[in-house]
Amino acid sequence: MRSPISGYSRLSKVQKFTAAGVSAAAVAALAVAAIPGSADADKQPIAVKPVAWSAEAFGAQDQREQIGKQADNAAKQAKAQAEAKKKADDEAAAKAKADKERAEKEAASRSAERKPVQAAPAPAPKTYADNLDGWIKEALDVMKAKGIPGSYAGIHRNIMRESTGNPKAINLWDSNAAKGIPSKGLLQVIDPTFKAYHVEGTSWDIYDPVANITAACNYAWKVYGSMDNVNSAY
């Protein structure tokens, strides 16, 4: 609302408070003076305590209020910032924890999925029957590994002629026997020949069926080309 007093609206806030104070003091003085019979009753003047209306006092009060408000606002803002920071820190910590747990679970899952590579089991050793058929077959496998030629049929034919399949057979009446070196075993091999043509990895017992066959076939290979080429005493 615009003041009816010319120039009043252009006064500062402090000036307005001062003017208002002066006006109020004047009004109070007039009111006391207007009391009927007051001056005539005692014939003594009534002392009126002046009201202090200071522009500086109003200005200082206003300044203190402004500073108080600013301090309150700053405290509220600092509290809000601290709460926001704490919330952000808590969220970051929670995310880091969740990421760590997820990574650990993934690592554990991958570890469980990766089955250890197992070495292929070693092949079971080949077994052979403990009879003429088994002895010939085992001897053929040894001969194949050593590069010695010969066939099942050729070996079987010569065994049946020389010993009829008896691994303990011994000839005590031929010329070799007369010399003290009788023929022995399935293929009737003499001791010097067995020792000279013994096949590595087999027994050194001349009566051992596989050792006897392989030594005889090794000798026949060097002399006749193969046991398959032997059809009589050799």
Side-chain angles (χ1 to χ4, degrees), residues 47 96 98 119 167 169 183 188 199 205:
S183 301
Q188 293 294 283
V199 176
D205 180 4

Side-chain angles (χ1 to χ4, degrees), residues 74-86:
K76 291 179 181 179
Q77 185 176 6
K79 182 179 179 181
Q81 290 176 349
E83 291 176 349
K85 183 178 183 303
K86 184 177 182 303

